[in-house]
Amino acid sequence: MRRTSISIMVSAAVLTVSLASPAVADRGGQDFGRATLTGFASLPAETFVPGSEPSGSAIGAGPFNGIAAPFAHQPVQGFSGVVNRRDGTFDVLSDNGYGNKANSADFLLRVHRVEPDTRTGKVKVLGGFNLSDPDRHVPFALTRADRVLTGPDFDVESIVRMPDGTYWTGDEFGPWLLHFSARGRLLEAPIALEGVRAPENPYLNGGEPNIASSKGFEGMVRSVDGRRLYPLLEGTVTGDTPGDLRFSEFDLRKRAYTGKRFVYRLESTVNAIGDAIAVDRHRFLVIERDGGQGDTAQFKRIYLADTRDRDGDGLMDKTLVADLLDIANPKGLGGFGKTFRFPFQTIEDVNLVDDRTLAVLNDNNFPFSSGRTAGKADDNEFITIRLSAPLHADRRALR
C-alpha cells in the first residue's frame, strides 16, 4: 500500500514593506513556470494521539474556530518539519504546542509517523514517539520531572534524519541544535549558535536578545553528503540588514559551526521562511511566506536558493520554483477548482519526492488557524506538486 501511495503522489494585500535591495526572483536560474497539483490528502484538525495525556489547559476555554478547550488528549498538529522515509511514510514534527511558553506546558513534543494516501484523500497516523531527556543532557530546568520535553522547554521547528536513524532538530528558543535517537531520546547537550540569543534563551542573564521571539531555527538542511547541517534562522539578527537571514554551516563530525554562512534575503521584511531542504551541494529549496491566511494570504512561495552568488552581491541567488497560491489543478483534485491555493498562515514543510515533484505540508496551529475556511480550524494538509521543469537534483537528495 505504501509503495502504491507514493507512486500515485508522484504521478498524480500587496506587500507593504520592501527591502532597500530586493532579491530578484529569477536571477541566475531558469523560469519554472506554474506548478501542477498531483496529490491531495488531509488529516482532520481534531485528531488526537490515542491514550495520551490531556492538553490545552492554558489556552482558555474558547471556543476557537468552533473547538472548545482543554482537550482530553494530545492533538496531532503543528507539522513544522518533515522527513521522507522513502517507503510511502513520512515523519512529521510537532512544534511547541499552542504558540508560546506560557500556554504550552501540557503539550508534549512529538514526532509522528504518517502515511498520506491521495487515492482516498486521507492521511493515516501510524504512530510516533515523544521527545525526552532522561540522561540529563539539558543543563537548565525542564518543565516535567520525568524529563519528557514540552512546549516551554523547546520550540522545535525543523528536523532531518541521519543514515544511522537518529534525528537532528532545530529549535527557536535558543536557538539550539538538538540530537535525538531514533526513539526521541536526547543524545547530547543542546548546541547553541554563537552570538545569537532569542528572548526565551535561559542564558541571557539580564542581557538583550538579538533575535526576535519565535525567529530561531525555522528551517534546517542536511547536506547531500550527510556531513553538514545548515540551520536557517527565521528572523534577522540585530545589526544585520533587515530581511537578511543567516544560513550557517555546522560540521557534524567536529560538532561545531565552521564559521561559514550564507545570507538568504527575504522578498519583504514582513515575510518569514517556513522550511528548507537540499537539492545539491549549492542549491536549496526554501519556503517563503507572508503572515496572511485565507483571502489575506498574498505571498506563499518556494524558491531555489543558490549559495554560489553569481552576481556577487553577497546574497544567495533566488529562482522562483512554485507559487503556492497559484497551482494548476486540471483534474480538480481534492474537490477544488482549476486553480488550487494553499492559503495557510504557516506553511512549514517541503520535501523532494522526485526530481520534479515536491511534497508540501502546512502547520495548522491547532486550533487557531482558519486559512482554508473562515471560522473552521484548519486540517493538516499534504499536497504534492509537479514542477514545470526538472531540478536536476543530486541523486543523494532523493534518498
Side-chain angles (χ1 to χ4, degrees):
M1 176 180 174
R2 293 176 181 175
R3 189 168 297 173
T4 301
S5 177
I6 196 67
S7 174
I8 291 171
M9 285 187 285
V10 172
S11 61
V14 177
L15 298 173
T16 57
V17 182
S18 62
L19 297 170
S21 301
V24 179
D26 61 351
R27 63 180 169 193
Q30 67 195 86
D31 179 7
F32 276 82
R34 197 182 190 204
T36 301
L37 187 69
T38 56
F40 176 89
S42 67
L43 181 71
E46 292 183 84
T47 302
F48 299 89
V49 178
S52 60
E53 299 178 16
S55 186
S57 62
I59 66 173
F64 306 100
N65 291 310
I67 298 173
F71 315 116
H73 300 291
Q74 298 283 314
V76 179
Q77 59 94 294
F79 290 175
S80 296
V82 63
V83 170
N84 189 341
R85 297 183 65 91
R86 301 293 168 186
D87 62 356
T89 71
F90 295 77
D91 293 323
V92 290
L93 177 69
S94 289
D95 56 15
N96 87 312
Y98 303 109
N100 58 63
K101 282 176 172 281
N103 67 8
S104 300
D106 60 5
F107 185 88
L108 308 184
L109 303 186
R110 185 173 175 85
V111 175
H112 305 275
R113 180 75 54 79
V114 301
E115 183 178 37
D117 187 346
T118 55
R119 297 170 304 176
T120 64
K122 297 179 179 180
V123 175
K124 182 186 298 184
V125 181
L126 304 178
F129 53 86
N130 295 333
L131 303 182
S132 64
D133 178 36
D135 301 316
R136 297 183 174 272
H137 291 298
V138 178
F140 48 84
L142 297 177
T143 302
R144 293 171 59 116
D146 63 3
R147 303 189 72 80
V148 173
L149 300 179
T150 67
D153 300 324
F154 297 100
D155 185 5
V156 285
E157 295 281 356
S158 49
I159 185 170
V160 298
R161 187 169 182 260
M162 305 306 294
D164 63 2
T166 65
Y167 297 88
W168 284 87
T169 69
D171 151 81
E172 292 202 299
F173 285 167
W176 317 102
L177 295 180
L178 304 170
H179 187 202
F180 293 96
S181 75
R183 296 300 300 169
R185 187 185 188 113
L186 192 66
L187 297 175
E188 52 194 283
I191 300 171
L193 177 60
E194 185 176 357
V196 179
R197 289 188 177 179
E200 299 86 357
N201 191 300
Y203 299 118
L204 285 176
N205 296 321
E208 291 294 322
N210 60 356
I211 193 168
S213 180
S214 296
K215 294 297 182 181
F217 292 146
E218 183 69 39
M220 185 164 63
V221 174
R222 190 192 80 180
S223 65
V224 291
D225 62 11
R227 297 179 180 180
R228 290 169 294 276
L229 298 176
Y230 293 94
L232 175 58
L233 293 173
E234 187 177 13
T236 301
V237 176
T238 301
D240 291 355
T241 301
D244 283 4
L245 309 181
R246 296 185 183 184
F247 204 2
S248 302
E249 182 179 76
F250 181 81
D251 189 311
L252 284 164
R253 291 172 297 181
K254 296 179 179 178
R255 289 295 196 270
Y257 285 94
T258 66
K260 178 186 291 186
R261 70 172 183 245
F262 308 101
V263 178
Y264 180 93
R265 175 166 287 181
L266 297 169
E267 297 297 296
S268 168
T269 54
V270 301
N271 285 357
I273 65 100
D275 197 14
I277 189 171
V279 173
D280 55 31
R281 179 182 174 186
H282 301 288
R283 297 180 300 154
F284 306 88
L285 291 172
V286 179
I287 297 174
E288 184 175 336
R289 60 170 183 83
D290 63 15
Q293 64 174 347
D295 292 340
T296 69
Q298 299 294 316
F299 194 105
K300 313 288 181 182
R301 296 181 179 180
I302 299 175
Y303 286 98
L304 189 62
D306 195 324
T307 62
R308 286 170 291 190
D309 184 21
R310 289 186 172 92
D311 61 4
D313 64 356
L315 306 172
M316 297 175 75
D317 299 330
K318 294 171 65 175
T319 302
L320 180 62
V321 168
D323 183 344
L324 299 177
L325 297 177
D326 184 25
I327 299 171
N329 187 21
K331 297 182 179 180
L333 299 180
F336 298 96
K338 297 299 182 181
T339 294
F340 177 82
R341 286 167 50 87
F342 211 53
F344 301 107
Q345 180 182 9
T346 47
I347 303 169
E348 300 191 354
D349 313 88
V350 63
N351 196 271
L352 281 169
V353 177
D354 65 26
D355 197 49
R356 289 185 64 173
T357 306
L358 308 181
V360 186
L361 296 74
N362 67 307
D363 175 355
N364 70 342
N365 299 308
F366 179 83
F368 305 117
S369 289
S370 56
R372 181 62 73 192
T373 303
K376 181 179 182 297
D378 283 330
D379 296 335
N380 285 302
E381 295 188 9
F382 179 104
I383 64 171
T384 55
I385 58 175
R386 181 169 174 82
L387 305 180
S388 60
L391 290 164
H392 304 294
D394 188 307
R395 65 180 182 277
R396 293 172 294 181
L398 298 169
R399 291 176 181 172

